[in-house]
Coordinates of all heavy atoms in Angstrom, one line a residue:
R129 N -0.3 142.1 77.9 CA -1.6 142.6 77.5 C -2.5 143.2 78.6 O -3.6 143.4 78.5 CB -2.4 141.4 76.9 CG -1.8 140.9 75.6 CD -2.6 139.9 75.0 NE -2.0 139.4 73.8 CZ -1.6 138.2 73.5 NH1 -1.9 137.2 74.4 NH2 -1.0 137.9 72.4
D130 N -1.9 143.3 79.8 CA -2.6 143.8 80.9 C -2.6 145.3 81.0 O -1.5 145.8 81.3 CB -2.0 143.2 82.2 CG -2.9 143.4 83.4 OD1 -4.0 144.0 83.3 OD2 -2.5 143.0 84.5
E131 N -3.7 145.9 80.7 CA -3.7 147.4 80.7 C -5.0 147.9 81.3 O -6.0 147.2 81.2 CB -3.4 148.0 79.4 CG -4.4 147.8 78.3 CD -4.0 148.4 77.0 OE1 -2.9 148.9 76.8 OE2 -4.9 148.5 76.1
S132 N -4.9 149.0 81.9 CA -6.1 149.6 82.5 C -6.0 151.1 82.6 O -4.9 151.7 82.5 CB -6.4 149.0 83.9 OG -5.4 149.4 84.8
W133 N -7.1 151.8 82.7 CA -7.2 153.2 82.8 C -7.9 153.6 84.1 O -8.9 152.9 84.5 CB -8.0 153.8 81.6 CG -7.4 153.5 80.3 CD1 -7.6 152.3 79.6 CD2 -6.5 154.3 79.5 NE1 -6.9 152.4 78.4 CE2 -6.2 153.6 78.3 CE3 -6.0 155.6 79.7 CZ2 -5.4 154.1 77.3 CZ3 -5.2 156.1 78.7 CH2 -4.9 155.4 77.6
M134 N -7.5 154.7 84.7 CA -8.3 155.2 85.8 C -8.5 156.7 85.5 O -7.5 157.4 85.1 CB -7.6 155.1 87.1 CG -8.5 155.4 88.3 SD -7.9 155.1 90.0 CE -6.4 154.3 89.9
V135 N -9.7 157.2 85.6 CA -10.0 158.6 85.2 C -10.8 159.2 86.4 O -11.6 158.5 87.0 CB -10.9 158.6 83.9 CG1 -11.3 160.0 83.6 CG2 -10.2 157.9 82.8
G136 N -10.6 160.4 86.7 CA -11.3 161.1 87.8 C -10.9 162.5 88.1 O -10.2 163.1 87.2
A137 N -11.2 162.9 89.2 CA -10.9 164.3 89.7 C -10.3 164.2 91.1 O -10.5 163.2 91.8 CB -12.2 165.1 89.8
R138 N -9.5 165.2 91.4 CA -8.9 165.3 92.7 C -9.3 166.7 93.3 O -9.3 167.7 92.7 CB -7.4 165.2 92.6 CG -6.9 164.0 91.9 CD -5.4 163.8 91.8 NE -4.8 165.0 91.3 CZ -3.5 165.1 91.1 NH1 -2.7 164.1 91.3 NH2 -2.9 166.2 90.7
E139 N -9.5 166.7 94.6 CA -9.7 167.9 95.4 C -8.6 167.9 96.4 O -8.5 167.0 97.3 CB -11.1 167.9 96.1 CG -12.2 167.9 95.1 CD -12.3 169.2 94.3 OE1 -11.9 170.3 94.9 OE2 -12.8 169.1 93.2
D140 N -7.7 168.9 96.4 CA -6.6 168.9 97.2 C -6.6 170.2 98.1 O -7.1 171.2 97.8 CB -5.3 169.0 96.4 CG -5.0 167.7 95.6 OD1 -5.6 166.7 96.0 OD2 -4.2 167.8 94.7
V141 N -5.9 170.0 99.3 CA -5.5 171.2 100.1 C -4.0 171.2 100.1 O -3.4 170.2 100.4 CB -6.1 171.1 101.5 CG1 -5.5 172.2 102.4 CG2 -7.6 171.1 101.5
L142 N -3.4 172.3 99.6 CA -2.0 172.4 99.6 C -1.6 173.4 100.6 O -2.3 174.4 100.9 CB -1.5 172.9 98.2 CG -1.9 172.0 97.0 CD1 -1.6 172.6 95.7 CD2 -1.2 170.6 97.1
L143 N -0.5 173.2 101.2 CA 0.0 174.0 102.3 C 1.4 174.5 102.0 O 2.3 173.7 101.5 CB 0.0 173.2 103.6 CG 0.5 173.9 104.9 CD1 -0.4 175.1 105.3 CD2 0.5 172.9 106.0
R144 N 1.7 175.8 102.2 CA 3.0 176.3 102.0 C 3.9 176.1 103.2 O 3.5 176.6 104.3 CB 3.0 177.8 101.6 CG 4.4 178.3 101.1 CD 4.3 179.6 100.5 NE 3.5 179.7 99.4 CZ 3.7 179.3 98.1 NH1 4.9 178.7 97.9 NH2 2.9 179.5 97.2
V145 N 4.9 175.3 103.1 CA 5.8 175.0 104.2 C 7.2 175.3 103.8 O 7.7 174.8 102.8 CB 5.7 173.4 104.6 CG1 6.7 173.1 105.7 CG2 4.3 173.1 105.0
E146 N 7.9 176.2 104.5 CA 9.2 176.6 104.2 C 9.3 177.0 102.7 O 10.2 176.5 102.0 CB 10.2 175.6 104.6 CG 10.3 175.3 106.1 CD 11.2 174.1 106.5 OE1 11.9 173.6 105.6 OE2 11.2 173.8 107.6
D147 N 8.4 177.8 102.2 CA 8.4 178.3 100.9 C 8.2 177.3 99.8 O 8.4 177.5 98.6 CB 9.6 179.2 100.6 CG 9.3 180.2 99.5 OD1 8.2 180.7 99.5 OD2 10.2 180.5 98.7
K148 N 7.7 176.0 100.2 CA 7.4 175.0 99.2 C 6.0 174.5 99.4 O 5.5 174.5 100.5 CB 8.4 173.8 99.3 CG 9.8 174.1 98.8 CD 10.5 172.8 98.9 CE 12.0 173.1 98.3 NZ 12.7 171.8 98.3
L149 N 5.3 174.2 98.3 CA 4.0 173.6 98.5 C 4.1 172.1 98.9 O 5.0 171.4 98.5 CB 3.3 173.6 97.1 CG 2.9 175.0 96.6 CD1 2.2 174.9 95.3 CD2 1.9 175.7 97.6
R150 N 3.2 171.8 99.8 CA 3.1 170.4 100.3 C 1.6 170.0 100.2 O 0.7 170.8 100.5 CB 3.6 170.3 101.7 CG 5.0 170.6 102.0 CD 5.9 169.5 101.6 NE 7.3 169.7 102.0 CZ 8.2 169.9 101.1 NH1 8.0 169.8 99.8 NH2 9.5 170.1 101.5
L151 N 1.4 168.7 99.9 CA 0.1 168.2 99.9 C -0.4 167.8 101.3 O 0.3 167.1 102.0 CB 0.0 166.9 99.0 CG -1.3 166.2 99.0 CD1 -2.3 167.1 98.2 CD2 -1.2 164.9 98.3
A152 N -1.5 168.5 101.8 CA -2.0 168.2 103.1 C -3.2 167.3 103.1 O -3.4 166.6 104.1 CB -2.3 169.6 103.8
K153 N -4.0 167.4 102.0 CA -5.2 166.6 102.0 C -5.5 166.3 100.5 O -5.5 167.3 99.7 CB -6.4 167.3 102.6 CG -7.6 166.5 102.7 CD -8.7 167.2 103.4 CE -10.0 166.4 103.4 NZ -11.1 167.0 104.2
R154 N -5.9 165.1 100.2 CA -6.3 164.8 98.8 C -7.5 163.8 98.9 O -7.5 162.8 99.6 CB -5.2 164.1 98.0 CG -5.7 163.6 96.6 CD -4.6 163.3 95.7 NE -4.0 164.5 95.3 CZ -2.7 164.6 94.8 NH1 -2.0 163.4 94.6 NH2 -2.2 165.7 94.4
T155 N -8.6 164.2 98.1 CA -9.7 163.4 97.9 C -9.7 163.0 96.4 O -9.7 163.9 95.6 CB -11.0 164.1 98.3 OG1 -11.0 164.4 99.7 CG2 -12.2 163.2 98.1
V156 N -9.7 161.7 96.1 CA -9.6 161.2 94.8 C -11.0 160.7 94.4 O -11.5 159.7 95.1 CB -8.6 160.1 94.6 CG1 -8.5 159.6 93.2 CG2 -7.2 160.7 95.0
L157 N -11.6 161.2 93.4 CA -13.0 160.7 93.0 C -12.8 160.1 91.6 O -12.7 160.8 90.6 CB -14.0 161.9 93.0 CG -14.2 162.6 94.3 CD1 -15.0 163.8 94.1 CD2 -14.8 161.6 95.3
I158 N -12.8 158.8 91.6 CA -12.7 158.2 90.3 C -14.1 158.1 89.6 O -15.1 158.1 90.2 CB -12.1 156.8 90.4 CG1 -13.0 155.9 91.3 CG2 -10.7 156.8 90.8 CD1 -12.5 154.4 91.2
D159 N -14.1 158.1 88.3 CA -15.3 158.1 87.5 C -15.9 156.7 87.4 O -17.1 156.5 87.2 CB -15.1 158.7 86.1 CG -14.9 160.2 86.2 OD1 -15.2 160.8 87.2 OD2 -14.3 160.7 85.2
Q160 N -15.0 155.7 87.5 CA -15.5 154.3 87.4 C -16.2 153.9 88.7 O -15.7 154.2 89.8 CB -14.3 153.3 87.2 CG -13.6 153.5 85.9 CD -12.4 154.4 86.0 OE1 -12.3 155.3 86.7 NE2 -11.3 154.0 85.3
N161 N -17.3 153.1 88.5 CA -17.9 152.6 89.7 C -17.2 151.3 90.1 O -17.1 151.0 91.3 CB -19.4 152.3 89.3 CG -20.2 151.8 90.6 OD1 -20.2 152.5 91.5 ND2 -20.7 150.6 90.5
S162 N -16.7 150.5 89.2 CA -16.0 149.3 89.5 C -14.6 149.4 88.8 O -14.5 149.7 87.6 CB -16.7 148.1 88.9 OG -18.0 147.9 89.5
L163 N -13.6 149.1 89.6 CA -12.3 149.1 89.1 C -12.0 147.7 88.4 O -12.2 146.7 89.1 CB -11.2 149.4 90.2 CG -11.2 150.8 90.6 CD1 -10.2 151.0 91.8 CD2 -10.9 151.8 89.5
L164 N -11.6 147.7 87.2 CA -11.3 146.5 86.5 C -9.9 146.0 86.6 O -9.6 144.9 86.2 CB -11.8 146.6 85.1 CG -13.3 147.0 84.9 CD1 -13.6 147.2 83.4 CD2 -14.2 146.0 85.5
S165 N -9.0 146.8 87.1 CA -7.6 146.4 87.2 C -7.5 145.3 88.3 O -8.3 145.2 89.2 CB -6.7 147.6 87.6 OG -7.1 148.2 88.8
K166 N -6.4 144.6 88.2 CA -6.2 143.4 89.1 C -5.7 143.8 90.5 O -5.8 143.0 91.4 CB -5.3 142.4 88.4 CG -5.8 141.8 87.2 CD -4.9 140.9 86.6 CE -5.5 140.1 85.4 NZ -5.4 140.8 84.2
N167 N -5.2 145.0 90.6 CA -4.7 145.5 91.9 C -4.9 147.0 92.0 O -5.2 147.6 91.0 CB -3.3 145.1 92.2 CG -2.3 145.6 91.2 OD1 -2.3 146.8 90.9 ND2 -1.4 144.8 90.7
L168 N -4.6 147.5 93.1 CA -4.8 149.0 93.3 C -3.4 149.6 93.8 O -3.4 150.3 94.7 CB -5.9 149.3 94.3 CG -6.4 150.7 94.3 CD1 -6.8 151.2 92.9 CD2 -7.6 150.9 95.2
N169 N -2.4 149.2 93.1 CA -1.0 149.7 93.4 C -0.8 151.0 92.6 O 0.2 151.1 91.8 CB 0.0 148.7 93.1 CG 0.0 147.6 94.1 OD1 -0.5 147.7 95.2 ND2 0.5 146.4 93.7
V170 N -1.7 151.9 92.7 CA -1.6 153.1 91.9 C -2.1 154.3 92.7 O -3.0 154.1 93.5 CB -2.3 153.0 90.5 CG1 -3.8 152.9 90.8 CG2 -2.0 154.2 89.6
Y171 N -1.5 155.4 92.5 CA -1.9 156.6 93.3 C -2.2 157.7 92.3 O -1.5 157.9 91.3 CB -0.7 157.1 94.2 CG -0.3 156.0 95.2 CD1 0.8 155.2 94.9 CD2 -1.1 155.8 96.3 CE1 1.1 154.2 95.8 CE2 -0.7 154.8 97.2 CZ 0.3 154.0 96.9 OH 0.7 153.0 97.8

Side-chain angles (χ1 to χ4, degrees):
R129 296 187 181 123
D130 190 3
E131 64 180 13
S132 63
W133 300 82
M134 190 173 359
V135 180
R138 307 182 309 183
E139 297 292 329
D140 292 344
V141 174
L142 302 172
L143 180 63
R144 189 169 301 282
V145 177
E146 297 175 6
D147 206 36
K148 288 187 178 183
L149 291 177
R150 298 278 186 249
L151 179 65
K153 182 177 182 180
R154 173 165 290 162
T155 301
V156 179
L157 300 171
I158 60 171
D159 291 338
Q160 295 97 320
N161 186 57
S162 298
L163 288 178
L164 301 178
S165 62
K166 293 179 174 85
N167 63 47
L168 196 52
N169 289 335
V170 65
Y171 302 97

